[in-house]
C-alpha cells in the first residue's frame, strides 16, 4: 500500500470507517503524497460509530484530503472497502476487499483483498471510478470540515454506536441534532422555489410515512421565521388526533430549541396566547372559527391533508387566509376521485418522496407482503361510494371463526416467532375489533382491542404495553390510531379487506406506517386477508 501511495497521482478511498491507528500506519506515505500535491478523496460513514473523528480531522488538516461522510444511522448505506490509485502514465491500480482504514486491516487482520489494474481489468477500474464519482456527487455524502462539523459528527458517531439513546441526545443536545437529511433538504429547497420563484403560497408536501413530514414542516417554519424579521410568525397546526398533536408540538419544540413553544387546542384544553396553536380539526368548530379573524394566523400547516375534502377540514381551509398554507400527506390520491392536489393546489405537488422512493433509498424498513385468500364471500354485499356498506361488512366478519382461524394460522406460518411479535390488526368496526382481540387471546396471544370508545388512559397504556412487548397484538377499528404513532419492530396483520379502510390513502398510511425505521427494526411483515368479490369490484379493492 505504501508503494502504491508513493507513485499515485490521484487517490480515492472508499470505506465504512476510518481509525486513528490506520492513519498512523500510513502517515509518512500520506504526508509525502500531500507534499507532491496529490489530491486525496475519502468517502466514509458513521457505521456502528466505528470511525475515529480525530482520524478524519487529521486526514483533512494534515494530509489535505477531502472527506465526505454519510451521517445516516438508521440503515447501512455503505459497507464497501476499496482504494483506487490513478496515475498520469495510465497504469492505474486498485484494491477491493474487506479492509477498512485501520491498523488491524492493514497489518495483522485476516483480510481478503484483490489487486486490479488498468492493464488486466480496465473495465472493472472504469466501473470503480464511475461508481465512486456517483457516490461523491450523491447528496447523502456530505463534505466534512473539522472546524464546522466536529460536533455533528461526534453526535452521529455516539448515536450510531448505541452508547447514547436518541431520546437522550434530543434532551442533551437540542439544537445540534435537528438538521434535515439530504432528501429532506432537497424537498425543503423545492418548497422554497415554489414560494420565492413562482409566488405560490399554498403548497402540498407529499412524503411517505416515516420520512419526517412533521420535521420538514418544523424546519420550514424555522426558515420562514427569518422572513418575519426573525420573530416567530403566528402558527396553526391542524391534525385529527391528540396523540399526533402532542408529537408534532414536541417536534417543533425540538427543532426550534424552545421547550415553551406552542399550545394545544383539544377537548377542554384552550390556548392562552393563541400565537402558536396545535389544534384538532374537531375543536375548530363554527363557533370557534367565528372568534378568530381569517388573517389571525400567518402560517397554517394541515397534517393528513388527504382528509381535506371532508367538511370539517374544508371549513377551516375556507375560513382562514394565511400568508402560507402547507398541506402534509403521504398519499394525496383518494378512491373517491377527489385528489387533494387537484382540489386545493391546481394539480401541483411542491415536493414529494413516495413510498417506493423511500424504500429504494433505504429510508424505511423493508417489508414482506402476503395477500391471503380467506374464502369470505363479498359478492352479495352492497357497494356504495367506492367501498362496502360498513354494517353489512361488519356483520359478515364479526363472529366468523373460520376466517379468524385462517388469520391466526397464517401469522404462525409467516412469522418466525409469533409469540414474540408485536402486531397491529386493522378491523372493520368496533365489534369486529373486540371479536378479533378475543379470538387472539383464545389462541394464546396477548391481545387487546382499541377503538374510539377506549378511554384515553386505557389507550395510552395499551400502546405503551405494545411498545414494551408486554402486549403483543392490538386490534384497531378502522385505523383508530396511526401505526406511525409508535415506531417499533412489528408484524402488521390486516384483519379486514382493503375496502374497509375507506381509500388507498388509508391503506398506504396505516399499513406502511410500521415501516418507520428504528434501531430494532429489521423488516416488517404484512398479511392481508382477501375475500371473494365480483370482477367489477376487484380492481378497486386492489
Amino acid at each position: 500500500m505504501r508503494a502504491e501511495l508513493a507513485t499515485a497521482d490521484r487517490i480515492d478511498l472508499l470505506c465504512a470507517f476510518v481509525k486513528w491507528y490506520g492513519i498512523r500506519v500510513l502517515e509518512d506515505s500520506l504526508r509525502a503524497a500531500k507534499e507532491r500535491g496529490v489530491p486525496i478523496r475519502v468517502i466514509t460513514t458513521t457505521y456502528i460509530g466505528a470511525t475515529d473523528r480525530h482520524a478524519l480531522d487529521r486526514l483533512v488538516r494534515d494530509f489535505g484530503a477531502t472527506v465526505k461522510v454519510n451521517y445516516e444511522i438508521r440503515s447501512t448505506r455503505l459497507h464497501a472497502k476499496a482504494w483506487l490509485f490513478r496515475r498520469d502514465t495510465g497504469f492505474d491500480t486498485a484494491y477491493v476487499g474487506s479492509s477498512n482504514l485501520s491498523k488491524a486491516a492493514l497489518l495483522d487482520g485476516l483480510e481478503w483483498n484483490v489487486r486490479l489494474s488498468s492493464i488486466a481489468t480496465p473495465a472493472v477500474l472504469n466501473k470503480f471510478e464511475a461508481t465512486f464519482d456517483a457516490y461523491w456527487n450523491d447528496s447523502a455524502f456530505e463534505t466534512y470540515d473539522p472546524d464546522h462539523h466536529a460536533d455533528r459528527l461526534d453526535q452521529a458517531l455516539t448515536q450510531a454506536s448505541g452508547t447514547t439513546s436518541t431520546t437522550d441526545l434530543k434532551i442533551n443536545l437540542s439544537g445540534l441534532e435537528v438538521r434535515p437529511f439530504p432528501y429532506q433538504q432537497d424537498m425543503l429547497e423545492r418548497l422554497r422555489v415554489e414560494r420565492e420563484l413562482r409566488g405560490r403560497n399554498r403548497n402540498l408536501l407529499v412524503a411517505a410515512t416515516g420520512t419526517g413530514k412533521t420535521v420538514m414542516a418544523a424546519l420550514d417554519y424555522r426558515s420562514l421565521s427569518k422572513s418575519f424579521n426573525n420573530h416567530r410568525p403566528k402558527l396553526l397546526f391542524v391534525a385529527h388526533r391528540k396523540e399526533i398533536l402532542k408529537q408534532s408540538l414536541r417536534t417543533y419544540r425540538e427543532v426550534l430549541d424552545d421547550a415553551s413553544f406552542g399550545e394545544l387546542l383539544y377537548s377542554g384544553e384552550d390556548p392562552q396566547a393563541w400565537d402558536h396553536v396545535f389544534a384538532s380539526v374537531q375543536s375548530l368548530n363554527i363557533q370557534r372559527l367565528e372568534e378568530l379573524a381569517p388573517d389571525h394566523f400567518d402560517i397554517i400547516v394541515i397534517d393528513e391533508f388527504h382528509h381535506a375534502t371532508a367538511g370539517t377540514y374544508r371549513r377551516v381551509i375556507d375560513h382562514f387566509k394565511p400568508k402560507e398554507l402547507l398541506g402534509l400527506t403521504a398519499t394525496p390520491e383518494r378512491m373517491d376521485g377527489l385528489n387533494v392536489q387537484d382540489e386545493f393546489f391546481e394539480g401541483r405537488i411542491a415536493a414529494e418522496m413516495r413510498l417506493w422512493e423511500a424504500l429504494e433509498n433505504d429510508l424505511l424498513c423493508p417489508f414482506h407482503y402476503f395477500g391471503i385468500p380467506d374464502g369470505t364471500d363479498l359478492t352479495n354485499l352492497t357497494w356504495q361510494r367506492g367501498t362496502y356498506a360498513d354494517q353489512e361488512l361488519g356483520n359478515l366478519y364479526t363472529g366468523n371463526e373460520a376466517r379468524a382461524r385462517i388469520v391466526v394460522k397464517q401469522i404462525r406460518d409467516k412469522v418466525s416467532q409469533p409469540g414474540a411479535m408485536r402486531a397491529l390488526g386493522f378491523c372493520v368496526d368496533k365489534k369486529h375489533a373486540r371479536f378479533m382481540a378475543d379470538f387472539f387471546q383464545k389462541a394464546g396471544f396477548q391481545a387487546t382491542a382499541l377503538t374510539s370508545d377506549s378511554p384515553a388512559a386505557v389507550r395510552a397504556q395499551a400502546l405503551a404495553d405494545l411498545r414494551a412487548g408486554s402486549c403483543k397484538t392490538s386490534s384497531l377499528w378502522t385505523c383508530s390510531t396511526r401505526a406511525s404513532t409508535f415506531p417499533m419492530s412489528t408484524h402488521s396483520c390486516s384483519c379486514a379487506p382493503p375496502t374497509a379502510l375507506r381509500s388507498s390513502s388509508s391503506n398506504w398510511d396505516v399499513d406502511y406506517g410500521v415501516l418507520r425505521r428504528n434501531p430494532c427494526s429489521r423488516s416488517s411483515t404484512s398479511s392481508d386477508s382477501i375475500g371473494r368479490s365480483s370482477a367489477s369490484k376487484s380492481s378497486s379493492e386492489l
Side-chain angles (χ1 to χ4, degrees), residues 336-394:
D336 59 10
L338 297 176
N339 298 332
V340 294
Q341 66 267 42
D342 300 324
E343 288 286 307
F344 299 98
F345 302 101
E346 301 175 334
R348 296 181 299 104
I349 295 176
E352 59 184 321
M353 168 67 73
R354 298 294 188 139
L355 172 68
W356 48 90
E357 295 176 277
L359 288 168
E360 182 180 347
N361 286 279
D362 208 19
L363 302 175
L364 299 177
C365 184
F367 69 93
H368 303 148
Y369 173 84
F370 297 94
I372 301 167
D374 61 18
T376 306
D377 187 358
L378 308 176
T379 56
N380 294 322
L381 299 185
T382 303
W383 181 262
Q384 55 189 23
R385 290 178 295 184
T387 186
Y388 291 106
D390 286 347
Q391 185 173 352
E392 294 180 17
L393 195 64

Side-chain angles (χ1 to χ4, degrees), residues 162-338:
T163 56
T164 302
S165 72
T166 303
T167 301
D168 290 340
L169 282 169
K170 287 179 179 176
I171 292 173
N172 296 328
L173 296 173
S174 180
L176 291 177
E177 83 290 342
V178 188
R179 297 181 177 86
F181 289 110
Y183 72 90
Q184 293 174 327
Q185 183 62 53
D186 177 67
M187 294 179 72
L188 290 169
E189 179 63 20
R190 280 183 274 165
L191 184 58
R192 186 189 67 80
V193 167
E194 289 293 312
R195 290 186 182 125
E196 296 183 7
L197 299 186
R198 297 172 182 165
R200 293 166 175 165
N201 302 109
R202 295 167 63 96
N203 292 288
L204 179 65
L205 189 150
V206 176
T209 300
T211 56
K213 292 188 295 295
T214 308
V215 171
M216 284 188 273
L219 289 166
D220 180 56
Y221 175 81
R222 187 174 71 182
S223 177
L224 285 172
S225 297
K226 298 175 182 177
S227 63
F228 285 79
N229 297 319
N230 287 317
H231 82 272
R232 289 176 181 162
K234 290 187 176 182
L235 168 71
L236 173 65
F237 187 101
V238 181
H240 67 290
R241 292 207 62 85
K242 188 174 185 178
E243 294 94 336
I244 300 172
L245 291 172
K246 286 185 173 180
Q247 286 184 342
S248 301
L249 177 57
R250 184 166 61 248
T251 297
Y252 272 75
R253 287 175 173 176
E254 289 168 358
V255 168
L256 299 172
D257 195 17
D258 184 352
S260 63
F261 180 83
E263 301 173 289
L264 287 172
L265 172 59
Y266 183 90
S267 64
E269 293 191 48
D270 287 333
Q272 299 299 314
W274 285 94
D275 289 333
H276 312 108
V277 179
F278 290 71
S280 70
V281 67
Q282 298 87 349
S283 66
L284 295 169
N285 52 41
I286 295 175
Q287 180 180 356
R288 181 78 68 180
L289 292 176
E290 289 176 349
E291 297 171 355
L292 296 168
D295 61 352
H296 180 82
F297 294 104
D298 300 306
I299 298 171
I300 294 181
V301 179
I302 300 180
D303 195 19
E304 306 298 333
F305 201 87
H306 51 268
H307 296 306
T309 57
T312 51
Y313 283 85
R314 280 189 182 272
R315 184 171 62 226
V316 174
I317 296 170
D318 292 343
H319 175 78
F320 287 112
K321 307 299 178 186
K323 294 182 176 66
E324 298 289 346
L325 172 69
L326 179 64
L328 308 177
T329 183
T331 47
E333 295 82 12
R334 297 169 52 93
M335 285 184 65
D336 59 10
L338 297 176

Side-chain angles (χ1 to χ4, degrees), residues 95-114:
Y95 290 80
V96 179
S98 63
S99 299
N100 284 293
L101 184 48
S102 66
K103 178 183 177 183
L106 294 173
L107 295 181
D108 48 19
L110 183 60
E111 307 281 351
W112 283 41
N113 296 283
V114 61

